[in-house]
Amino acid sequence: MNSELQQLCHYCKTDLKAYEKDIEAQLQLLESLLQLTLVNSASRIEQLSSLLIFAASIAKHVSHLQVTQQIYQDIIEILQRHGEVLDPGLRFQLVRTLATLAKSKAPDFINFLPCYFQLFRCTDKQLRKYLFQLIMKAVERAMEMGSKVGSQCKSLIYQYLRSSHEKIAQKTLLLLVKLYAKGILSDASTCNVMSFCCFHENTKMKAIAIHFFLQECFVEDEDSDSSDSSSDEDNDTNEIQAVVSQKTKELWNNYKLTSKKNLRKRRQLERKISRICKSERRRKRKHQLNPKVEPPVSLLFRPDEFAEKLFLELKKKNQRFQLRVAIIQLIARVVGFHLLDIPPFIQYLLKYLRPHQEGVSKILVILLQAIHEYTPLETVNMVIRYIADHFVIPQMSANTCAVGLNSIRLLCEKQPTAIDAALLEDFIQYKTSKDRSVMMAARSILSVYRKLCPGLLPKSERGKLGNIRALEEKRALVSKSLSFDTVSSEKDDEESNSCYEESDSYSETDCSSSSSSSFIEETTSQSSTQNNAYDDNLLTQRILSDSDFVKLKQSGFGTISMDENPVNATISVTDIETFQTKRRRSKEERIASVKQGRKDRQKYGKSSKQKFKTGPTTNRAKQKRQVNGIVQQRRRKQYMQSLKQRTKRRK
């Protein structure tokens, strides 16, 4: 910008009325230049860029003029026509002035948001980052203004999500992910629109959508979603630099101590430092949801259809192994959360369960997530036997045996009756193993069955409390069978009496309503005594009517809360990995343990017997304090002197 324009900009902020004509003349000149660029995109670039900077700096003060409205419309038209062909510097300046003019006037999202989305086709990375930030802020403002403007903005974003251009579709998907994480667009409609991207032809789009539903970070190129560099991420970068600087100092010190310094060793050091930087960035860039936002898997309208479609996607052979594992993990998450049953999916997972398979511990965790309380006992028993045959055998190493036993323990916690007594006894025999990890895994299975189902254990392994619980289980089963027999006999007597006493005009509907009310009273009385638990025998006596289901919902039967859902207690790889006696600690943890040990510790050295010093120490006490070497040296000198004296005397 020229010195004259800078001075005019200063006068505009101080005294606008005095210099209004001069400012309007400059803005009219800018409008005429914009009209020329509509015809020819490469005309007077330097003069146009300086006037654009001038217009952007005084946009707040000149928003009431008609010229600014014409400039605003001209910039939008230029970017829509010649956006890809324009000079990169001029194009960036046009976008910046458009953003400042849009802020100063009343928001008109339908006009400038399509212009921003179309500019994602350009190859300029810096421009894409800036556009991503502008769209984020515009959508936030639109959602704050009201439901009407917010719905228009939503429909526009959904429209560009289905665009044929790959870059536009990717950026809109990343935009929706970011808005969902912040809680701006966190409703069920956005979640279900994004679910269609899991079946997209483009693998990158598919990977972004799958990692979003898994609530994980999607690692991309430098261009992709590095536009999230806001105030929150500036703090993260400072933390990353602090951690990296501590780790790199040690590497540089080790390099300086080496005797031979050459180019090869220096390059190796630089590669190590770059790996550390990347790992810290990935660790910090993990996709963290707002605590108020619900997980996206819970908002799916038809989870069974979604899981079945994803299972069909697995059968395609042109997919990478990492993407295949991510799809398997998402299916398991949906099945476990919504308590679905897809038997072919578990059989498909078993072919990946080999000890030599890459990432077998992660696949075991996925399998554990897919199995829940309502899966059939036959499938759970089949999975336990498969893991026992391939992992828990003497030919395998101790680590694989421990992983297999830990995974069986987690399966048995969900369904303890899915295992045979003979197989359980075989697992418990590993408690005498010499390897610590195998021994701890076998003992954990034993402790689980002592709490949940001690009747399956042999009497010698039950323990004192286990024997008491086994007796209580037997008594409960006997009392339940007796109560069921009495209830069935009473009902038969009542039905026979009612057939003789009732008239022919008694309708079947009245009969069903009375029986349903008596059925619900029985179930409610039993639920109060047994901590709101179902009696399966009563539920399977007859077919329930609609009124029965209404009353059961009112009484609170069959409701599965989110806290009681077993998927919320997420299983990680560390739960099934081997037991480690001493884990390798970081430098910070070691320093903290050293400082903690210094508290309330006595000083080194021998404590003096004399508590209160009354006088000076004696020569004998001083001799005791002297070092042995010094005392021996003095004695040696005395001995040597005596020898010399003796020789002199002899002579």
Side-chain angles (χ1 to χ4, degrees), residues 237-254:
T237 52
N238 293 328
E239 290 177 7
I240 290 162
Q241 286 173 2
V243 172
V244 168
S245 62
Q246 288 178 358
K247 291 182 179 179
T248 51
K249 273 180 186 177
E250 295 177 2
L251 292 171
W252 277 109
N253 290 328
N254 293 329

PDB file of all heavy atoms in Angstrom, residues 237-254:
ATOM      1  N   THR A 237       1.085 -26.949  20.657  1.00  0.00           N
ATOM      2  CA  THR A 237       2.402 -26.899  20.011  1.00  0.00           C
ATOM      3  C   THR A 237       3.489 -26.511  21.007  1.00  0.00           C
ATOM      4  O   THR A 237       4.608 -27.028  20.943  1.00  0.00           O
ATOM      5  CB  THR A 237       2.383 -25.884  18.848  1.00  0.00           C
ATOM      6  OG1 THR A 237       1.874 -24.641  19.325  1.00  0.00           O
ATOM      7  CG2 THR A 237       1.542 -26.380  17.705  1.00  0.00           C
ATOM      8  N   ASN A 238       3.162 -25.606  21.939  1.00  0.00           N
ATOM      9  CA  ASN A 238       4.142 -25.239  22.964  1.00  0.00           C
ATOM     10  C   ASN A 238       4.484 -26.432  23.849  1.00  0.00           C
ATOM     11  O   ASN A 238       5.652 -26.650  24.205  1.00  0.00           O
ATOM     12  CB  ASN A 238       3.592 -24.096  23.826  1.00  0.00           C
ATOM     13  CG  ASN A 238       3.446 -22.815  23.030  1.00  0.00           C
ATOM     14  OD1 ASN A 238       4.223 -22.567  22.114  1.00  0.00           O
ATOM     15  ND2 ASN A 238       2.463 -21.998  23.359  1.00  0.00           N
ATOM     16  N   GLU A 239       3.462 -27.215  24.208  1.00  0.00           N
ATOM     17  CA  GLU A 239       3.698 -28.416  25.017  1.00  0.00           C
ATOM     18  C   GLU A 239       4.541 -29.434  24.257  1.00  0.00           C
ATOM     19  O   GLU A 239       5.434 -30.072  24.826  1.00  0.00           O
ATOM     20  CB  GLU A 239       2.368 -29.046  25.423  1.00  0.00           C
ATOM     21  CG  GLU A 239       1.597 -28.215  26.430  1.00  0.00           C
ATOM     22  CD  GLU A 239       0.252 -28.836  26.757  1.00  0.00           C
ATOM     23  OE1 GLU A 239       0.009 -29.967  26.290  1.00  0.00           O
ATOM     24  OE2 GLU A 239      -0.536 -28.196  27.468  1.00  0.00           O
ATOM     25  N   ILE A 240       4.251 -29.592  22.962  1.00  0.00           N
ATOM     26  CA  ILE A 240       5.010 -30.539  22.130  1.00  0.00           C
ATOM     27  C   ILE A 240       6.475 -30.125  22.060  1.00  0.00           C
ATOM     28  O   ILE A 240       7.380 -30.947  22.195  1.00  0.00           O
ATOM     29  CB  ILE A 240       4.398 -30.628  20.716  1.00  0.00           C
ATOM     30  CG1 ILE A 240       3.038 -31.341  20.769  1.00  0.00           C
ATOM     31  CG2 ILE A 240       5.321 -31.363  19.760  1.00  0.00           C
ATOM     32  CD1 ILE A 240       2.183 -31.109  19.564  1.00  0.00           C
ATOM     33  N   GLN A 241       6.718 -28.822  21.860  1.00  0.00           N
ATOM     34  CA  GLN A 241       8.097 -28.333  21.777  1.00  0.00           C
ATOM     35  C   GLN A 241       8.850 -28.552  23.083  1.00  0.00           C
ATOM     36  O   GLN A 241      10.034 -28.882  23.090  1.00  0.00           O
ATOM     37  CB  GLN A 241       8.096 -26.845  21.419  1.00  0.00           C
ATOM     38  CG  GLN A 241       7.746 -26.585  19.965  1.00  0.00           C
ATOM     39  CD  GLN A 241       7.585 -25.110  19.669  1.00  0.00           C
ATOM     40  OE1 GLN A 241       7.777 -24.273  20.549  1.00  0.00           O
ATOM     41  NE2 GLN A 241       7.225 -24.774  18.447  1.00  0.00           N
ATOM     42  N   ALA A 242       8.142 -28.377  24.218  1.00  0.00           N
ATOM     43  CA  ALA A 242       8.783 -28.585  25.520  1.00  0.00           C
ATOM     44  C   ALA A 242       9.191 -30.042  25.711  1.00  0.00           C
ATOM     45  O   ALA A 242      10.295 -30.343  26.184  1.00  0.00           O
ATOM     46  CB  ALA A 242       7.838 -28.156  26.641  1.00  0.00           C
ATOM     47  N   VAL A 243       8.307 -30.966  25.320  1.00  0.00           N
ATOM     48  CA  VAL A 243       8.606 -32.398  25.473  1.00  0.00           C
ATOM     49  C   VAL A 243       9.721 -32.812  24.528  1.00  0.00           C
ATOM     50  O   VAL A 243      10.635 -33.564  24.905  1.00  0.00           O
ATOM     51  CB  VAL A 243       7.329 -33.236  25.218  1.00  0.00           C
ATOM     52  CG1 VAL A 243       7.645 -34.710  25.185  1.00  0.00           C
ATOM     53  CG2 VAL A 243       6.288 -32.942  26.282  1.00  0.00           C
ATOM     54  N   VAL A 244       9.659 -32.312  23.292  1.00  0.00           N
ATOM     55  CA  VAL A 244      10.664 -32.684  22.285  1.00  0.00           C
ATOM     56  C   VAL A 244      12.034 -32.148  22.672  1.00  0.00           C
ATOM     57  O   VAL A 244      13.055 -32.820  22.504  1.00  0.00           O
ATOM     58  CB  VAL A 244      10.231 -32.179  20.893  1.00  0.00           C
ATOM     59  CG1 VAL A 244      11.358 -32.292  19.892  1.00  0.00           C
ATOM     60  CG2 VAL A 244       9.031 -32.954  20.400  1.00  0.00           C
ATOM     61  N   SER A 245      12.086 -30.933  23.224  1.00  0.00           N
ATOM     62  CA  SER A 245      13.375 -30.335  23.594  1.00  0.00           C
ATOM     63  C   SER A 245      14.061 -31.144  24.695  1.00  0.00           C
ATOM     64  O   SER A 245      15.280 -31.318  24.683  1.00  0.00           O
ATOM     65  CB  SER A 245      13.169 -28.901  24.055  1.00  0.00           C
ATOM     66  OG  SER A 245      12.351 -28.863  25.206  1.00  0.00           O
ATOM     67  N   GLN A 246      13.277 -31.667  25.650  1.00  0.00           N
ATOM     68  CA  GLN A 246      13.864 -32.492  26.705  1.00  0.00           C
ATOM     69  C   GLN A 246      14.439 -33.796  26.148  1.00  0.00           C
ATOM     70  O   GLN A 246      15.503 -34.254  26.574  1.00  0.00           O
ATOM     71  CB  GLN A 246      12.807 -32.823  27.759  1.00  0.00           C
ATOM     72  CG  GLN A 246      12.438 -31.639  28.627  1.00  0.00           C
ATOM     73  CD  GLN A 246      11.368 -31.977  29.633  1.00  0.00           C
ATOM     74  OE1 GLN A 246      10.873 -33.093  29.655  1.00  0.00           O
ATOM     75  NE2 GLN A 246      10.993 -31.016  30.456  1.00  0.00           N
ATOM     76  N   LYS A 247      13.736 -34.401  25.201  1.00  0.00           N
ATOM     77  CA  LYS A 247      14.207 -35.671  24.628  1.00  0.00           C
ATOM     78  C   LYS A 247      15.393 -35.478  23.689  1.00  0.00           C
ATOM     79  O   LYS A 247      16.293 -36.314  23.629  1.00  0.00           O
ATOM     80  CB  LYS A 247      13.063 -36.356  23.886  1.00  0.00           C
ATOM     81  CG  LYS A 247      11.985 -36.868  24.818  1.00  0.00           C
ATOM     82  CD  LYS A 247      10.890 -37.577  24.051  1.00  0.00           C
ATOM     83  CE  LYS A 247       9.835 -38.110  25.002  1.00  0.00           C
ATOM     84  NZ  LYS A 247       8.735 -38.788  24.290  1.00  0.00           N
ATOM     85  N   THR A 248      15.382 -34.376  22.944  1.00  0.00           N
ATOM     86  CA  THR A 248      16.469 -34.147  21.979  1.00  0.00           C
ATOM     87  C   THR A 248      17.772 -33.724  22.656  1.00  0.00           C
ATOM     88  O   THR A 248      18.849 -33.952  22.101  1.00  0.00           O
ATOM     89  CB  THR A 248      16.057 -33.068  20.966  1.00  0.00           C
ATOM     90  OG1 THR A 248      15.573 -31.921  21.661  1.00  0.00           O
ATOM     91  CG2 THR A 248      15.007 -33.585  20.024  1.00  0.00           C
ATOM     92  N   LYS A 249      17.681 -33.119  23.839  1.00  0.00           N
ATOM     93  CA  LYS A 249      18.904 -32.725  24.555  1.00  0.00           C
ATOM     94  C   LYS A 249      19.764 -33.950  24.875  1.00  0.00           C
ATOM     95  O   LYS A 249      20.994 -33.930  24.720  1.00  0.00           O
ATOM     96  CB  LYS A 249      18.541 -32.005  25.851  1.00  0.00           C
ATOM     97  CG  LYS A 249      18.333 -30.514  25.680  1.00  0.00           C
ATOM     98  CD  LYS A 249      17.985 -29.870  27.010  1.00  0.00           C
ATOM     99  CE  LYS A 249      17.640 -28.394  26.788  1.00  0.00           C
ATOM    100  NZ  LYS A 249      17.222 -27.742  28.052  1.00  0.00           N
ATOM    101  N   GLU A 250      19.098 -35.005  25.312  1.00  0.00           N
ATOM    102  CA  GLU A 250      19.825 -36.237  25.636  1.00  0.00           C
ATOM    103  C   GLU A 250      20.493 -36.834  24.401  1.00  0.00           C
ATOM    104  O   GLU A 250      21.646 -37.293  24.460  1.00  0.00           O
ATOM    105  CB  GLU A 250      18.860 -37.252  26.244  1.00  0.00           C
ATOM    106  CG  GLU A 250      18.281 -36.821  27.575  1.00  0.00           C
ATOM    107  CD  GLU A 250      17.270 -37.812  28.113  1.00  0.00           C
ATOM    108  OE1 GLU A 250      17.066 -38.852  27.449  1.00  0.00           O
ATOM    109  OE2 GLU A 250      16.703 -37.549  29.178  1.00  0.00           O
ATOM    110  N   LEU A 251      19.782 -36.811  23.276  1.00  0.00           N
ATOM    111  CA  LEU A 251      20.358 -37.353  22.039  1.00  0.00           C
ATOM    112  C   LEU A 251      21.571 -36.542  21.583  1.00  0.00           C
ATOM    113  O   LEU A 251      22.588 -37.100  21.156  1.00  0.00           O
ATOM    114  CB  LEU A 251      19.294 -37.377  20.942  1.00  0.00           C
ATOM    115  CG  LEU A 251      18.136 -38.360  21.129  1.00  0.00           C
ATOM    116  CD1 LEU A 251      17.063 -38.107  20.099  1.00  0.00           C
ATOM    117  CD2 LEU A 251      18.629 -39.783  21.016  1.00  0.00           C
ATOM    118  N   TRP A 252      21.453 -35.209  21.680  1.00  0.00           N
ATOM    119  CA  TRP A 252      22.575 -34.356  21.263  1.00  0.00           C
ATOM    120  C   TRP A 252      23.778 -34.529  22.191  1.00  0.00           C
ATOM    121  O   TRP A 252      24.927 -34.520  21.742  1.00  0.00           O
ATOM    122  CB  TRP A 252      22.147 -32.886  21.245  1.00  0.00           C
ATOM    123  CG  TRP A 252      21.448 -32.487  19.986  1.00  0.00           C
ATOM    124  CD1 TRP A 252      20.144 -32.192  19.841  1.00  0.00           C
ATOM    125  CD2 TRP A 252      22.026 -32.357  18.693  1.00  0.00           C
ATOM    126  NE1 TRP A 252      19.856 -31.892  18.531  1.00  0.00           N
ATOM    127  CE2 TRP A 252      21.004 -31.978  17.796  1.00  0.00           C
ATOM    128  CE3 TRP A 252      23.315 -32.525  18.184  1.00  0.00           C
ATOM    129  CZ2 TRP A 252      21.211 -31.768  16.451  1.00  0.00           C
ATOM    130  CZ3 TRP A 252      23.538 -32.306  16.822  1.00  0.00           C
ATOM    131  CH2 TRP A 252      22.488 -31.934  15.969  1.00  0.00           C
ATOM    132  N   ASN A 253      23.537 -34.696  23.479  1.00  0.00           N
ATOM    133  CA  ASN A 253      24.646 -34.907  24.414  1.00  0.00           C
ATOM    134  C   ASN A 253      25.360 -36.227  24.136  1.00  0.00           C
ATOM    135  O   ASN A 253      26.594 -36.306  24.193  1.00  0.00           O
ATOM    136  CB  ASN A 253      24.120 -34.893  25.848  1.00  0.00           C
ATOM    137  CG  ASN A 253      23.675 -33.500  26.271  1.00  0.00           C
ATOM    138  OD1 ASN A 253      24.232 -32.507  25.821  1.00  0.00           O
ATOM    139  ND2 ASN A 253      22.677 -33.426  27.127  1.00  0.00           N
ATOM    140  N   ASN A 254      24.581 -37.265  23.831  1.00  0.00           N
ATOM    141  CA  ASN A 254      25.195 -38.558  23.480  1.00  0.00           C
ATOM    142  C   ASN A 254      26.000 -38.463  22.186  1.00  0.00           C
ATOM    143  O   ASN A 254      27.044 -39.103  22.044  1.00  0.00           O
ATOM    144  CB  ASN A 254      24.118 -39.632  23.346  1.00  0.00           C
ATOM    145  CG  ASN A 254      23.459 -39.934  24.670  1.00  0.00           C
ATOM    146  OD1 ASN A 254      24.095 -39.832  25.712  1.00  0.00           O
ATOM    147  ND2 ASN A 254      22.188 -40.293  24.636  1.00  0.00           N
TER     148      ASN A 254
END
